[in-house]
Amino acid sequence: MFRLGIAVLGVGLLWSASSSRYLNMVLTRVIKAALARWTELEVRDYVRLLELEKGYAISELEVNPSDWLCGRRLSELALAQEGVLVLGIRRAKGAYVGAPDGRTRVASKDVLTCYGPEGVLRRLSSRLPGAEGDAEHAAAVEKRLRIRRQETDI
């Protein structure tokens, strides 16, 4: 019984430490100082840099043959109008296309690495093909425009 109490106490302490903002701040400073002193690594807080805590995400989307994305060029998809950037594409045979441009065609079994609003990425992964998907895209673009107008009015 005593060992169980010690184990529960230990888990509680670990949980408390892992959720402490103060401890996170202190450890981040210590790690940055150590890396700066003993390595040549450039340390960045990518979660903060990319606003990942504020509704943005980086996601991988696997393209199926029946997906809205499949067989179309990135310029046709106009994902940037929805707030989504395609950072890279892992092709089915293993090749990687980094920072693809609008001429890049999306193929079945490609895995797209995308950055954008979490909700948009979630809906994009299940968007239906054809006219229904095009209508959903148009609605997402309109919603993005409304958000942009609100941001510029502030």
Side-chain angles (χ1 to χ4, degrees):
M1 192 66 160
F2 178 72
R3 287 184 177 171
L4 178 61
I6 295 293
V8 169
L9 181 64
V11 169
L13 287 172
L14 285 173
W15 180 79
S16 294
S18 69
S19 60
S20 167
R21 288 183 186 253
Y22 176 74
L23 185 59
N24 181 38
M25 182 181 67
V26 169
L27 287 176
T28 299
R29 286 183 182 165
V30 168
I31 291 169
K32 280 183 179 180
L35 287 173
R37 181 171 180 177
W38 291 299
T39 70
E40 293 184 24
L41 293 175
E42 185 175 339
V43 180
R44 297 269 189 218
D45 181 357
Y46 291 104
V47 170
R48 187 178 53 77
L49 183 70
L50 296 171
E51 302 284 338
L52 297 179
E53 294 175 329
K54 297 179 182 172
Y56 284 85
I58 296 174
S59 179
E60 289 185 323
L61 304 173
E62 183 173 346
V63 179
N64 294 311
S66 62
D67 286 351
W68 179 77
L69 301 163
C70 191
R72 300 171 79 178
R73 295 186 188 280
L74 290 176
S75 59
E76 294 172 56
L77 297 171
L79 296 174
Q81 292 178 1
E82 295 184 52
V84 174
L85 301 175
V86 178
L87 303 175
I89 301 173
R90 170 79 48 209
R91 298 292 190 186
K93 293 186 179 180
Y96 184 75
V97 180
D101 62 22
R103 297 171 296 181
T104 305
R105 189 174 298 277
V106 178
S108 176
K109 302 298 180 197
D110 283 352
V111 177
L112 279 60
T113 303
C114 300
Y115 169 77
E118 266 183 285
V120 175
L121 292 173
R122 197 174 307 110
R123 287 185 297 278
L124 182 61
S125 68
S126 61
R127 186 171 291 169
L128 296 173
E132 198 169 339
D134 291 341
E136 189 176 337
H137 169 67
V141 169
E142 183 56 39
K143 182 177 179 180
R144 181 71 176 171
L145 288 173
R146 283 193 308 273
I147 290 169
R148 281 285 189 222
R149 282 192 290 269
Q150 289 173 353
E151 290 172 345
T152 56
D153 288 346
I154 292 177

